[in-house]
Amino acid sequence: NYSWVRRMTDDILYPTHGYIINFQIGGGTELLLSEQDFLRLYGRGIWFYPLWQNGQLILRTELGTVLADSRRGIPSDFLFRTGGDQSIRGYTYQSLGVQEGDAVVGGRRLAVASAEYVQWLWPKWGAALFYDAGDAGDSWNDIDFNRGYGIGARWRSPVGPLNLDVAYSPDREDFRLHFSVSTVF
């Protein structure tokens, strides 16, 4: 595996302007005891834009693919699932992927996009509106953009932004509460 990160932000802990990009490449080969040859490519980007007075737009995207004929023999850590606090809010952690019986397993493709607006009401407290969409599957045709949207509260804590979100999933007709510390990779 190899990972590359490029960070160009105005602040490490509380970025309001700039971007962070991460690319990863990994894989396995039968020559080194893997059950099949495969290559995993993954990219994630977050863009921060200041808007109006004390407002901020945060855009996030993730794309991934595993180049292989099938999932057979590929370790689950190299496949993709999504959903949860730092992904698609409105769904439980890694609950989106390939349905195999009653289980959700990793797929060979991943696509996620998110837009969030944060309005800082006081120096340490803010409110957020967000929209997330994405899925993981075995082919690009299997990607069904599951959606989640909602509102949240933000607190600039000493360890980074703490998020409390209420998200609705129209696909599952369900509300979920999400709590996270927004550490930016």
Side-chain angles (χ1 to χ4, degrees):
N1 285 318
Y2 177 77
S3 181
W4 176 83
V5 177
R6 169 95 173 162
R7 179 188 304 264
M8 294 295 294
T9 60
D10 58 346
D11 190 282
I12 292 176
L13 201 53
Y14 302 107
T16 60
H17 186 266
Y19 64 89
I20 303 168
I21 298 174
N22 174 239
F23 291 108
Q24 298 174 13
I25 186 169
T29 178
E30 291 176 339
L31 297 172
L32 296 174
L33 305 177
S34 179
E35 290 187 29
Q36 72 164 309
D37 295 334
F38 67 94
L39 182 66
R40 181 183 189 268
L41 304 170
Y42 171 80
R44 177 178 170 141
I46 301 177
W47 293 266
F48 303 93
Y49 299 99
L51 293 177
W52 304 293
Q53 185 174 356
N54 298 321
Q56 176 182 30
L57 179 65
I58 303 168
L59 302 174
R60 177 179 45 86
T61 187
E62 292 180 77
L63 284 173
T65 188
V66 174
L67 304 174
D69 293 333
S70 73
R71 285 182 280 117
R72 181 195 56 77
I74 298 175
S76 62
D77 287 347
F78 285 87
L79 298 171
F80 299 105
R81 291 188 299 168
T82 192
D85 301 336
Q86 301 284 324
S87 176
I88 304 170
R89 291 162 283 194
Y91 296 86
T92 57
Y93 178 68
Q94 293 193 348
S95 63
L96 299 172
V98 177
Q99 193 73 36
E100 209 171 76
D102 290 336
V104 174
V105 298
R108 292 179 291 142
R109 307 292 183 264
L110 171 75
V112 175
S114 176
E116 180 173 317
Y117 175 74
V118 179
Q119 180 64 47
W120 292 100
L121 306 170
W122 298 280
K124 292 195 177 279
W125 288 94
L129 296 171
F130 60 86
Y131 183 87
D132 305 331
D135 198 8
D138 262 338
S139 74
W140 293 116
N141 292 334
D142 294 338
I143 299 292
D144 179 22
F145 282 92
N146 298 282
R147 299 161 295 146
Y149 53 84
I151 61 172
R154 302 292 178 263
W155 177 50
R156 288 181 172 146
S157 80
V159 297
L162 265 69
N163 303 335
L164 180 63
D165 296 321
V166 176
Y168 178 71
S169 163
D171 304 308
R172 295 198 176 162
E173 297 180 346
D174 190 26
F175 285 93
R176 290 198 57 82
L177 185 64
H178 294 274
F179 176 77
S180 63
V181 177
S182 288
T183 55
V184 181
F185 63 93

